[in-house]
Amino acid sequence: MKKLVIALGVSVLLGACAGSGMSNASSSNSAATPMVGGAAMYPTKDIVDNAVNSKDHTTLVAAVKAADLVATLKSPGPFTVFAPTNASFAALPAGTVDTLLKPENKATLTKVLTYHVVPGRMDSAALTSAINAGGGKALLKTASGGTLTATMSGGTVWVTDAKGGTAAVTIANVYQSNGVIHVVNKVLLPG
């Protein structure tokens, strides 16, 4: 089951790309189909079927292969993913991605990828509600077993990782048949 959760989380990560403004993506399954990585993200398709068309996710595709999770990525969710882009991975210290992609670092790579995944479907309305109910912050349990903290400032949802790094949601509510993606502008790191 844990491998399935990990696989689904990685697959959701593949479906995201860079963008700006939370209003750039659809806010419901019936809204216009959002473009991610130059490709339409159809809410009737699963994460893998959408992700293979995103030109902005070569790093994530390589990560999925290195983590040996490809075979399980078409499973049902739902999952919420705070999905960093290729540019987010490129902003990590030099050599980090290459090191993570080595076979001997598969467990670490899997932990980083699944740290971006929260079981269940939390669109921006659900996130906002959880933040308000938490007095300004929501603690989100990730598939890796860690915790992310979501807050809101100026209409933007911010996600803070275990190391204190923060990422802004740049595109919200990219619905897939097995989850919802919120694109973020940084890679979140577990403790």
Side-chain angles (χ1 to χ4, degrees), residues 75-186:
S75 301
F79 294 93
T80 299
V81 174
F82 296 97
T85 63
N86 287 346
S88 300
F89 282 101
L92 292 171
T96 301
V97 174
D98 290 337
T99 299
L100 284 171
L101 294 177
K102 291 180 179 179
E104 62 269 22
N105 296 320
K106 182 177 173 182
T108 302
L109 174 63
T110 300
K111 184 174 181 179
V112 169
L113 294 174
T114 59
Y115 187 65
H116 292 78
V117 180
V118 175
R121 185 182 299 241
M122 290 192 77
D123 63 11
S124 57
L127 277 172
T128 300
S129 179
I131 291 167
N132 290 337
K137 68 180 181 179
L139 300 178
L140 309 172
K141 187 76 166 175
T142 70
S144 71
T147 302
L148 294 170
T149 303
T151 58
M152 186 173 284
S153 177
T156 299
V157 172
W158 293 87
V159 183
T160 304
D161 65 23
K163 296 185 181 252
T166 56
V169 173
T170 58
I171 300 177
N173 300 335
V174 182
Y175 292 99
Q176 315 283 296
S177 65
N178 57 348
V180 61
I181 298 166
H182 301 293
V183 179
V184 293
N185 64 357
K186 299 258 171 77

